[in-house]
Amino acid sequence: MKIDHQQAWELLCSMDRILLLTHRLPDGDALGSIFALYLVLKDLGKEVRCVTDKIPASLKAAAIPCDEPAFAPDFVVTVDVGDRKLLGEELDAQYGGRVDLCIDHHGTNSDFAKYTLVDPAAAAACEVLFDMLKGAGFAFTPAIAGELYVGIATDTGCFRYGNTTAKTMRAAADLMEYGVDTAYLNTEIFETKTREFTAFERMAMNALKTYFDGRVALMLITREMYERSGLDESDDKAINALPRQIEGVYVGITVKEKQDGQGFRVSMRSKEPVSAAEICASLGGGGHRLAAGCELTGTKEQAVETLLNAAKAVIDKVL
Amino acid sequence: MKIDHQQAWELLCSMDRILLLTHRLPDGDALGSIFALYLVLKDLGKEVRCVTDKIPASLKAAAIPCDEPAFAPDFVVTVDVGDRKLLGEELDAQYGGRVDLCIDHHGTNSDFAKYTLVDPAAAAACEVLFDMLKGAGFAFTPAIAGELYVGIATDTGCFRYGNTTAKTMRAAADLMEYGVDTAYLNTEIFETKTREFTAFERMAMNALKTYFDGRVALMLITREMYERSGLDESDDKAINALPRQIEGVYVGITVKEKQDGQGFRVSMRSKEPVSAAEICASLGGGGHRLAAGCELTGTKEQAVETLLNAAKAVIDKVL
């Protein structure tokens, strides 16, 4: 059942022994929203516990001490979770069918919980939480404001992406006034690279090649690059943005070799008027117009040739 | 003479045949503020002209058509200029001694103009202009709002740096509501690299080395890297941020070989508790605590050794 911000707040206030969950492979919004809500509920004197997957190295600044003894929850809340499957197999099996309240910002939310507060116009789950708390007249602490800022800043690429609205900017302004050290958080989150990522990025950049007068850039990421750099595959996402960043490139392709000869994962980004979704659809994949993906099998050479041909077919039509 | 926002606005409204100038090697705030003010004054029906140095490749999205025939100005205005020397020799000789109005945000403003509107709390000259125009009840067009957004976004590292205040965020929010395509501007300005810079960055990253258990990272930029990449020296600044970005690095050093064996320019960034200013001061340079610089002579090997010794001396004291 869909509920509004005030109803969600009243529900939270009336409950105790609350378990908070978020999606696996948590990003800044998942962690910011679960930790912010944890701190809010502790402030209200509740018994509360949060369970998260491993925190990525780049988000250590958002982590808070919240080791609480396990308890049988009376009320289960998810934040930033669009579908119960995203909880991961274990948590889905244990709690996916008994989520009481879901607080989210994905337009695709599958309405899996008993009560759902979802605002697809919000840039982040943290913006939904901010609206709820502000509407309730909650007294933000610097720590709570910091967690909400982290979620909003990360889901908007630090206020760069198209999901950033004037309302998002004003929410961030309010949070800054509650005493958040935004310069510190932004340095830790956006300006710091692990040694492993630095080594990986160097190898990836050396593997970057351009084609068709520089209109297509392709980076082939091999298993060896993960092994030599020591980078965990779950920390490799920032690399996908590199090929399209080059001036004149309309299609940026990152091809990642999967383990054990299982083929390739392809991330494709494009610039108007070229549609990455159209190119990927021609290869059995899909996605958004300017950011799509597909999977390929065969040898490295075959994968690259297939991708270049598919890109060229679309480029030749529109450029 | 210092004047306030309203006085500056009244002065502009009362004048005609206005020449606008900004500093040489213009950044996003210089261009955003000069083009915004140009459009405002054209809107008011004034005869107006702006003179700018070469527009960097990354800021082409901010450029507007403003070729106006030269005229003998009745009123000379500078934006984002802290001192007349920053106009460059030619413009300083011609106009430096007869600037009527200076609109700026540098606390170090040398008060070189007849009338000066300066707000050191503003993150950008564009924020000062925004405050002036908003106070005057000016009806922002999307183009004017876009120029002001560019200046604010670039001077704050897209709202990342410590100069970003809640007021800055609210100014950006207002500007977004006047119809700025912020996602497009941010992609063009922050996500696009020239081919030359991409090649240069690749070479620089391959030259990056770490020392003292990874606490110091140093990148030696040779003349050959400029020649091979084709990068103009004026477009190399973004490289200075790379060494300190690596996790665990307290001192990030970029050493750039000057032309014709004239030695080296050094850019140094540090993380607390290490002071880059202290290290650079020990080598005859200076700067801010976490971002400083110095110049060195001798061979490459000598320069690197000198820098590593100076960094180690400070690190050993505080780490």
Side-chain angles (χ1 to χ4, degrees):
Chain A
M1 190 172 103
K2 293 274 163 58
I3 58 174
D4 66 19
H5 295 79
Q6 192 188 333
Q7 290 169 315
W9 175 246
E10 284 166 6
L11 207 48
L12 285 165
C13 289
S14 70
M15 294 294 165
D16 203 351
R17 298 179 72 79
I18 301 171
L19 177 68
L20 305 179
L21 304 173
T22 188
H23 60 80
R24 61 185 289 275
L25 298 176
D27 54 13
D29 192 29
L31 295 173
S33 54
I34 197 168
F35 292 145
L37 190 53
Y38 172 86
L39 293 170
V40 166
L41 295 170
K42 290 296 273 187
D43 247 28
L44 298 179
K46 309 279 186 191
E47 194 171 356
V48 51
R49 193 176 152 239
C50 45
V51 175
T52 70
D53 205 354
K54 194 185 154 210
I55 297 177
S58 62
L59 291 167
K60 275 186 294 189
I64 54 166
C66 58
D67 283 331
E68 302 278 333
F71 56 73
D74 289 340
F75 196 68
V76 179
V77 181
T78 64
V79 285
D80 198 37
V81 177
D83 185 78
R84 54 180 279 187
K85 283 197 198 104
L86 301 171
L87 293 168
E89 260 179 50
E90 196 184 325
L91 288 175
D92 182 22
Q94 206 175 349
Y95 299 109
R98 55 159 295 199
V99 175
D100 297 292
L101 173 62
C102 162
I103 299 177
D104 190 28
H105 71 117
H106 295 95
T108 54
N109 188 289
S110 66
D111 211 3
F112 60 92
K114 192 167 171 194
Y115 299 103
T116 300
L117 166 62
V118 61
D119 177 5
C126 280
E127 190 176 336
V128 181
L129 280 181
F130 170 82
D131 292 338
M132 179 186 80
L133 296 168
K134 191 179 177 188
F138 183 80
F140 291 84
T141 64
I144 291 168
E147 296 294 341
L148 295 174
Y149 179 87
V150 165
I152 293 174
T154 52
D155 256 23
T156 57
C158 214
F159 311 102
R160 279 190 199 182
Y161 303 155
N163 62 347
T164 313
T165 66
K167 176 172 156 288
T168 312
M169 298 298 278
R170 293 198 180 100
D174 284 1
L175 292 171
M176 289 168 80
E177 286 175 333
Y178 295 125
V180 182
D181 187 349
T182 56
Y184 163 75
L185 289 173
N186 291 333
T187 300
E188 289 295 311
I189 293 170
F190 297 108
E191 306 263 318
T192 305
K193 299 173 180 178
T194 63
R195 296 178 195 191
E196 292 79 10
F197 187 83
T198 305
F200 180 79
E201 184 183 33
R202 186 192 302 211
M203 289 182 241
M205 280 181 69
N206 285 328
L208 186 90
K209 291 188 180 147
T210 58
Y211 303 87
F212 311 128
D213 292 326
R215 287 176 295 180
V216 174
L218 186 145
M219 212 160 60
L220 177 65
I221 307 293
T222 62
R223 295 310 310 168
E224 196 204 350
M225 294 183 190
Y226 292 102
E227 285 149 23
R228 279 177 51 206
S229 66
L231 187 78
D232 192 280
E233 259 185 279
S234 64
D235 286 328
D236 75 357
K237 285 192 194 61
I239 213 81
N240 299 348
L242 298 185
R244 190 185 56 183
Q245 284 176 356
I246 304 168
E247 188 184 23
V249 167
Y250 286 91
V251 183
I253 309 174
T254 310
V255 191
K256 293 173 180 168
E257 188 180 12
K258 292 202 277 190
Q259 282 177 317
D260 308 322
Q262 293 173 350
F264 304 89
R265 279 180 296 129
V266 177
S267 155
M268 191 178 294
R269 311 242 176 136
S270 65
K271 278 186 198 147
E272 292 292 354
V274 181
S275 163
E278 187 181 348
I279 301 171
C280 286
S282 77
L283 300 171
H288 303 286
R289 181 168 169 82
L290 303 182
C294 63
E295 306 247 326
L296 292 173
T297 53
T299 66
K300 289 173 197 167
E301 292 73 22
Q302 287 167 339
V304 169
E305 197 191 334
T306 302
L307 284 161
L308 292 178
N309 287 338
K312 186 157 195 315
V314 172
I315 281 179
D316 282 347
K317 274 196 306 183
V318 297
L319 282 187
Chain B
M1 190 173 103
K2 292 275 163 59
I3 60 174
D4 66 19
H5 295 79
Q6 193 190 331
Q7 289 169 315
W9 176 245
E10 285 166 5
L11 207 48
L12 285 165
C13 288
S14 69
M15 294 294 164
D16 204 350
R17 299 177 72 79
I18 300 171
L19 177 68
L20 305 180
L21 304 174
T22 188
H23 60 81
R24 61 186 289 275
L25 299 175
D27 54 14
D29 191 29
L31 296 173
S33 54
I34 197 169
F35 293 146
L37 190 52
Y38 172 87
L39 294 170
V40 166
L41 295 171
K42 291 295 272 184
D43 247 29
L44 297 179
K46 309 279 185 192
E47 194 172 356
V48 52
R49 192 176 153 240
C50 44
V51 175
T52 69
D53 205 355
K54 195 184 153 212
I55 297 178
S58 62
L59 291 168
K60 276 187 296 192
I64 54 167
C66 58
D67 283 331
E68 303 277 336
F71 55 73
D74 290 339
F75 197 67
V76 179
V77 181
T78 63
V79 285
D80 198 36
V81 177
D83 186 80
R84 53 180 281 187
K85 283 198 199 106
L86 300 171
L87 293 167
E89 261 179 50
E90 197 184 323
L91 287 176
D92 182 21
Q94 206 175 349
Y95 299 109
R98 55 162 292 202
V99 175
D100 297 291
L101 173 61
C102 162
I103 299 177
D104 189 29
H105 71 116
H106 295 96
T108 54
N109 188 288
S110 66
D111 211 5
F112 60 93
K114 192 167 170 191
Y115 299 103
T116 300
L117 167 61
V118 59
D119 177 6
C126 280
E127 190 176 335
V128 181
L129 280 180
F130 170 82
D131 291 339
M132 179 188 79
L133 295 168
K134 192 179 176 187
F138 183 82
F140 291 85
T141 65
I144 290 167
E147 295 294 342
L148 295 174
Y149 179 86
V150 165
I152 293 173
T154 52
D155 256 24
T156 57
C158 214
F159 311 103
R160 277 189 201 182
Y161 303 155
N163 62 347
T164 313
T165 66
K167 174 172 159 288
T168 312
M169 298 298 278
R170 292 197 181 100
D174 285 2
L175 293 169
M176 290 169 80
E177 286 175 332
Y178 295 125
V180 182
D181 187 348
T182 56
Y184 163 75
L185 289 173
N186 291 332
T187 300
E188 289 296 311
I189 293 170
F190 297 109
E191 305 263 318
T192 305
K193 299 174 180 177
T194 63
R195 295 178 196 192
E196 291 79 8
F197 186 82
T198 306
F200 180 78
E201 184 183 33
R202 188 193 300 212
M203 289 183 244
M205 279 181 68
N206 285 328
L208 185 88
K209 290 189 181 147
T210 56
Y211 302 87
F212 311 128
D213 291 326
R215 287 176 295 180
V216 174
L218 185 146
M219 214 160 58
L220 177 66
I221 307 293
T222 63
R223 295 310 310 168
E224 195 204 351
M225 295 183 189
Y226 292 102
E227 284 149 23
R228 279 176 54 203
S229 65
L231 187 78
D232 192 280
E233 258 184 281
S234 64
D235 285 329
D236 74 357
K237 286 191 194 60
I239 212 80
N240 299 349
L242 298 184
R244 191 186 54 182
Q245 283 177 358
I246 305 167
E247 187 185 24
V249 168
Y250 285 91
V251 183
I253 308 174
T254 309
V255 191
K256 293 173 179 169
E257 189 181 11
K258 291 202 277 189
Q259 281 177 319
D260 307 323
Q262 292 172 351
F264 304 88
R265 280 180 295 128
V266 177
S267 155
M268 191 178 294
R269 311 240 177 137
S270 66
K271 279 186 198 147
E272 293 290 357
V274 181
S275 163
E278 186 182 349
I279 300 171
C280 287
S282 76
L283 299 170
H288 302 285
R289 181 168 168 82
L290 304 182
C294 63
E295 306 245 327
L296 291 173
T297 54
T299 67
K300 289 172 197 167
E301 293 72 21
Q302 286 167 339
V304 170
E305 198 191 334
T306 301
L307 284 161
L308 292 178
N309 287 340
K312 187 156 195 314
V314 172
I315 282 180
D316 282 347
K317 273 197 306 184
V318 297
L319 283 185

